[in-house]
Amino acid sequence: MTQTTEAPIADRADRAGSTPAPRAGATSTFAKALNAALADAMEADPAVLMFGEDVGTLGGVFRITDGLTARFGEERCFDTPLAEAGIMGMAVGMAMNGMKPVVEMQFDAFAYPAFEQVVSHVAKMPNRTRGKVRLPIVIRIPYAGGIGGVEHHCDSSEAYYAHTPGLTVLAPATVRDAYFMLREAIASPDPVVFLEPKKLYWSKEEVDLAELRRTFDEGEAPRRIGRAVVARQGTDATLISYGPSVPTALGAAAAAAEEGRSIEVIDLRSIVPFDDETVCESVRRTGRAVVVAEAPGFASVASEIVARVQERCFHSLAAPVLRVTGFDIPYPSPKLEHFYLPSVDRILDAVDDLQWED
């Protein structure tokens, strides 16, 4: 078996391009990078404003908007009533009148009352008006599990949005991507559903936020929307993942290396648009693939990835493409979530099933 070439997680997002090395000792959490991206976007463009439940004085339940009201005033970062459909409807009106609203849905399942606004108006407005009215709205959604939360607080709802034409759907997994992808989302002229893995809010990397700001503002940051990245190089099989499952996939690849298998890990970053080129190049080279995602497997984003890979890479495959996902049940109680979530052991079991005897 070929030995695995392992890259530090902080370097993964920049394989396709480059950003300067951080200052010695400079670190940031995922949450701080999101906060900085919001602040920098609001500083750069007075049309950008932020609102949602408890995002003002409190700074959000996860403190992603901490300090924004004090810095930019209550007209640009403010609290709303507990009325998600109203939040989204107000964002549509603001966007139609030249503003660039960023809204926070406090938890994943809290966004469902706003779903009708998202599907019927946010996603369809440009098509309905033949491109005359575009809606630069970012819908930030803290999502997925791994924090010991209960139902309504740990859903993986990406399939609902990915199935809706007219929406861009993003799920960063690294601190650098959190910053760059949120800046990219806010700069987009069209609506973006920005899924923030809650369990990664406190993850840290060696990142110089000031340098990331300069890189983005000067147009040097490689584009992330629609572009996956090779998070770890390998030759024997490919793990395809996004958002909260990427660190688990990397852990499985590291464990597989100890057993002599070289596993490549693809971090999709962008669910819609989907980067077929990077995914298929990897699978055609390794000949085997497993898709890893937290959401229930039935009719899921993972199902779509399996279909796309098998359609495009069929003659290069040594085994059927497999999935490791959450189970087809409501999100379990905190004491049981470790059984539900994809784990290193479940991923390694799937890798073992990739018909290695052939």
Side-chain angles (χ1 to χ4, degrees):
M1 298 290 181
T2 303
Q3 292 297 311
T4 298
T5 302
E6 186 171 2
I9 192 168
D11 295 339
R12 298 183 341 237
D14 297 305
R15 287 182 186 279
S18 63
T19 55
R23 288 181 290 108
T27 62
S28 175
T29 63
F30 195 97
K32 181 62 179 175
L34 293 172
N35 177 269
L38 285 168
D40 292 346
M42 295 174 74
E43 183 68 37
D45 187 349
V48 177
L49 66 163
M50 173 79 227
F51 55 94
E53 296 160 2
D54 298 321
V55 304
T57 304
L58 180 66
V61 294
F62 296 104
R63 302 299 186 269
I64 305 303
T65 57
D66 193 29
L68 297 184
T69 299
R71 178 173 172 183
F72 296 100
E74 293 182 346
E75 292 187 349
R76 295 190 63 198
C77 182
F78 55 90
D79 293 331
T80 66
L82 306 182
E84 290 80 5
I87 294 170
M88 194 56 61
M90 185 163 63
V92 171
M94 287 180 168
M96 292 177 70
N97 286 279
M99 301 179 206
K100 298 179 180 179
V102 181
V103 301
E104 178 180 298
M105 296 289 138
Q106 198 169 72
F107 285 91
D108 29 65
F110 291 14
Y112 298 154
F115 194 63
E116 193 276 335
Q117 291 284 341
V118 174
V119 172
S120 296
H121 303 295
V122 174
K124 291 184 172 64
M125 190 66 73
N127 186 65
R128 183 181 298 154
T129 60
R130 298 184 179 181
K132 294 180 180 176
V133 178
R134 301 176 75 173
L135 298 180
I137 299 172
V138 176
I139 307 168
R140 293 183 41 244
I141 304 178
Y143 97 114
I147 62 167
V150 294
E151 65 169 15
H152 283 76
H153 295 73
C154 292
D155 272 10
S156 292
S157 47
E158 62 268 33
Y160 303 133
Y161 304 108
H163 187 69
T164 303
L167 299 176
T168 293
V169 184
L170 308 178
T174 71
V175 173
R176 286 174 189 238
D177 281 352
Y179 179 88
F180 284 129
M181 290 170 68
L182 186 53
R183 292 293 306 270
E184 234 181 285
I186 296 171
S188 171
D190 294 310
V192 176
V193 177
F194 194 85
L195 300 167
E196 301 170 3
K198 292 189 292 288
K199 74 176 184 182
L200 300 184
Y201 275 147
W202 302 278
S203 61
K204 287 184 179 180
E205 292 175 23
E206 289 189 9
V207 167
D208 185 340
L209 292 176
E211 196 57 38
L212 298 190
R213 180 184 307 116
R214 185 202 63 78
T215 303
F216 184 88
D217 289 343
E218 296 183 5
E220 298 176 1
R223 183 174 172 79
R224 264 77 170 169
I225 294 179
R227 296 183 182 175
V229 67
V230 178
R232 177 186 175 109
Q233 295 177 323
T235 57
D236 297 333
T238 301
L239 300 180
I240 305 163
S241 193
Y242 55 89
S245 297
V246 171
T248 311
L250 288 167
E258 295 178 0
E259 300 173 357
R261 280 184 177 150
S262 173
I263 306 295
E264 186 148 298
V265 177
I266 301 294
D267 177 1
L268 292 178
R269 306 193 292 196
S270 175
I271 298 172
V272 182
F274 188 84
D275 184 356
D276 287 299
E277 181 179 356
T278 298
V279 171
C280 291
E281 190 282 327
S282 174
V283 176
R284 290 187 184 114
R285 182 162 36 78
T286 64
R288 294 175 171 86
V290 176
V291 182
V292 183
E294 278 192 30
F298 184 79
S300 62
V301 169
S303 302
E304 172 65 19
I305 297 170
V306 169
R308 298 176 81 89
V309 170
Q310 298 203 137
E311 287 169 356
R312 291 163 174 76
C313 307
F314 181 79
H315 295 290
S316 301
L317 291 172
V321 180
L322 301 181
R323 287 174 294 168
V324 177
T325 67
F327 301 118
D328 297 332
I329 59 172
Y331 198 82
S333 64
K335 290 184 178 179
L336 298 176
E337 72 172 355
H338 65 285
F339 292 113
Y340 174 89
L341 297 171
S343 65
V344 168
D345 286 344
R346 287 177 62 196
I347 296 170
L348 292 179
D349 286 345
V351 171
D352 286 343
D353 289 339
L354 293 174
Q355 300 185 9
W356 296 95
E357 66 275 13
D358 295 331

